[in-house]
Amino acid sequence: MTEQELDEMFSTAIEVAKEAGKVIRDGFYKEKTVDTKISAADLVTETDQAIEKMVHAMITKKFPDHRFIGEESTAESGEKHQLTDDPTWIIDPIDGTTNFVNHVQEVSFSLGVMVNKKTVIGVVYAPIKEEMFSARLGKGAYLNSEKLKASDITDLKEAVIIFEGGNSRDAKLLEEKVKNIHALIAHSRGIRAYGSAAVNLCHVAAGRGQGYVEYGLHIWDFIAGALIATEAGAVVLDPTGSDLDPLRQRVLCACSPEVAKALSQILTHIDTGYD
Amino acid sequence: MTEQELDEMFSTAIEVAKEAGKVIRDGFYKEKTVDTKISAADLVTETDQAIEKMVHAMITKKFPDHRFIGEESTAESGEKHQLTDDPTWIIDPIDGTTNFVNHVQEVSFSLGVMVNKKTVIGVVYAPIKEEMFSARLGKGAYLNSEKLKASDITDLKEAVIIFEGGNSRDAKLLEEKVKNIHALIAHSRGIRAYGSAAVNLCHVAAGRGQGYVEYGLHIWDFIAGALIATEAGAVVLDPTGSDLDPLRQRVLCACSPEVAKALSQILTHIDTGYD
């Protein structure tokens, strides 16, 4: 893949994110038709589906031989997505659908591009706050035009950690998550929860908090944000401390290796499955 | 108290909030000298203290016979504050000091005015996001110049609920809080945590979430936000369901009486003391 091809892909990613952002903004204050996937907490809206179709069409037109993984098409087909070495655009039309439905502002469009299973482009656009986060492999991370740098805190006791309760209401999973919340409060300076995995990773990238951990995610929730955080100097790993596996449904992000290690040690590592 | 006097007090409150906001903004990106009060999680900065002195001077100059309760002066004197029937200005110079220190954007200046122990003015200014929330008793609540209306959701299962882990690391208190977090996740659509009580109440006022509950607060954390939420049509109570007692160190806010009642029923009501 040439530098010029990557430039074109990056321009397309930004363009696509802006278009998706317009649709999100239009829908944000309207009455929504809500359908439920797994539980009342996991919401699909017309807007998610409309954005994914639009984005798929835009990308296919420019890069007809690239592959595409989207949250909504995966949910519809019921099939597992396959991650190959081909250039692959990975989309979450609205990360933070619950926020979108309940008028909470942290909603984002998330787009990551992988080549040879390595993320080369990450774009997270939070249109209600007009924040465009972006990164290219080896070229740094940006919020709009401002370069991002993660916090330099190394002691978990001084760190603010982001987590999520998540959408599942499975009793056993919930109990494990609550145990982790307990450990996070006890060992950190405080916890925060915003309801969008992609935004959470960008918060750490921007130094607005020093860590983030979540179990029960999918590749489209975190692949773009993970590159943005990494390019801002943060550490993104599997919560156990091993390399991030994009199909393993979980992510740990910290501003420094020290905070990452401390987080990994206090958490109970939940296995929600493999995509 | 005449309408004209209340108008003057309201203008002063807005003016004071803008001045405090400037100091908060200036300090937000600077290196901070941090001292600890109760635990590493409860931070006092030079900025808190500087704002409180400035605000006290501004108010005393205009209203020399009014009383003043401020977070920092109360902490310094070590005395309990006394709430009388006199006009009383109640200030939190920075609500969300941990956010301020850790570069998280939800920091606010909070100012409530009580007359005959009734809140007549509430102003919460979040200067990093340039959001000025304000309310006068019987006259509605505003975000900048936009009138606020709480969400019309009545079913807790459809509601997003804000909570806080808080600053205390007392093991028993933490266990009770975690039990409540568990109950909140299990019964609501999702939980959020932003790290500023005043901002949390304004989020409910603005329909960005449908409820908020916290134990272990003080009057300056919630008195302004409580009026803003009430004037936006939300319900603000003691978590047990009885009337809010501003010295009781706890608050429950919900977009509707139905959500308030459901929240009250699932929570374990923690008694952290009486101011």
Side-chain angles (χ1 to χ4, degrees), chain A residues 1 23 52 86 110 116 137 140 146 152 169 174 209 225 231 234:
Chain A
M1 190 131 289
V23 182
E52 186 155 320
D86 297 336
S110 173
N116 296 320
L137 184 63
E146 176 201 346
D152 54 8
R169 295 295 172 268
L174 188 50
E231 287 293 328

Side-chain angles (χ1 to χ4, degrees), chain A residues 45-81:
Chain A
T45 64
E46 289 164 2
T47 314
D48 284 80
Q49 290 156 355
I51 292 172
E52 186 155 320
K53 270 181 199 147
M54 178 188 79
V55 165
H56 192 180
M58 284 176 79
I59 293 167
T60 308
K61 199 175 161 191
K62 287 228 178 183
F63 305 101
D65 56 339
H66 288 191
R67 298 176 75 102
F68 184 88
I69 295 175
E71 181 180 18
E72 300 311 323
S73 34
T74 303
E76 259 174 46
S77 74
E79 285 171 24
K80 287 206 168 196
H81 43 268

Side-chain angles (χ1 to χ4, degrees), chain A residues 168-178 215-216 270 272:
Chain A
S168 168
R169 295 295 172 268
D170 175 83
K172 188 170 170 290
L173 178 60
L174 188 50
E175 207 159 296
E176 289 175 314
K177 284 194 177 182
V178 168
Y215 300 84
I270 305 169
T272 60

Side-chain angles (χ1 to χ4, degrees), chain A residues 40-41 98-99 101-105 129 158 160 169 174 178 182 185 188-189 192-195 207-210, chain B residues 40-41 43 98-99 101-105 129 158 160 169 174 178 182 185 188-189 192-195 207-208 210:
Chain A
T98 297
N99 283 351
V101 172
N102 282 52
H103 300 268
V104 180
Q105 299 187 306
K129 303 192 163 179
E158 294 177 7
V160 166
R169 295 295 172 268
L174 188 50
V178 168
H182 194 153
I185 303 177
S188 74
R189 183 170 277 168
R192 302 289 179 265
Y194 303 102
R208 307 168 179 171
Q210 287 69 44
Chain B
L43 304 155
T98 297
N99 283 352
V101 172
N102 282 51
H103 300 267
V104 180
Q105 299 188 305
K129 303 192 164 180
E158 293 177 8
V160 166
R169 294 296 172 268
L174 188 50
V178 169
H182 195 152
I185 302 177
S188 74
R189 182 170 278 168
R192 302 290 178 266
Y194 303 101
R208 306 168 179 170
Q210 287 70 43

